[in-house]
Each structure stands twice: as structure tokens, then as C-alpha cells.
Amino acid sequence: LIGTLLIYAMGVTSERGRLFLIGTASYLFIHYAFNVGGVTAILPLTGIPLLLISQGGSSQMALFIAIGICQNVIARDNTARQRKMEEQQ
């Protein structure tokens, strides 16, 4: 998921959309890094839930909202590209 968000971020034409996709990928990576670091005793345990695995209220909702906005950014970019291609033909 992180890699896919970064790949789409490189192709999005909107600067705001690119920042949101990179920010969401960073959010996912930081949560992953803290959890893996805590389990392997490299970092102290912080109590951050493992996203998409742990049951949680607010963190899970925040993640789903962020992923939904990312899907909207990608869909709008694809629609804009299709319209531009149709205008050129």
C-alpha cells in the first residue's frame, strides 16, 4: 500500500494531491516502523496500534478517511487525464 501510494504520487499532476499521497504513505510507514521497532526491542513500546490489523476506533477511522481521500485524489487525476486525452482527439 505504501509503495502504491508513492507510485501514484509521482504521477499525479496536482501538487496538493501529491503532498496528500506522500503524507498518507509516510503516516503508514511511521506507524509500521514504530510497531516493528517495538516488537523487535529496537524502540520502546509506544502503544501505537498496528494499522489495518489492530481493532481501534479513532486511529482506524483516521486511516480509512485518509485512504478514501487518496482514492478520490487518484480518481480525479485519472478523470482529468481522460478529459485531456478526449480533447486532444
Side-chain angles (χ1 to χ4, degrees), residues 20-56:
F20 199 86
L21 291 172
I22 291 172
T24 303
S26 301
Y27 174 70
L28 286 167
F29 179 75
I30 289 170
H31 272 267
Y32 173 76
F34 278 136
N35 276 294
V36 170
V39 169
T40 58
I42 295 173
L43 296 172
L45 291 174
T46 58
I48 296 175
L50 183 58
L51 297 177
L52 298 174
I53 304 295
S54 301
Q55 285 187 337

Side-chain angles (χ1 to χ4, degrees), residues 8-26:
Y8 276 116
M10 297 306 150
V12 171
T13 57
S14 166
E15 188 67 30
R16 181 180 289 174
R18 180 176 295 132
L19 286 173
F20 199 86
L21 291 172
I22 291 172
T24 303
S26 301

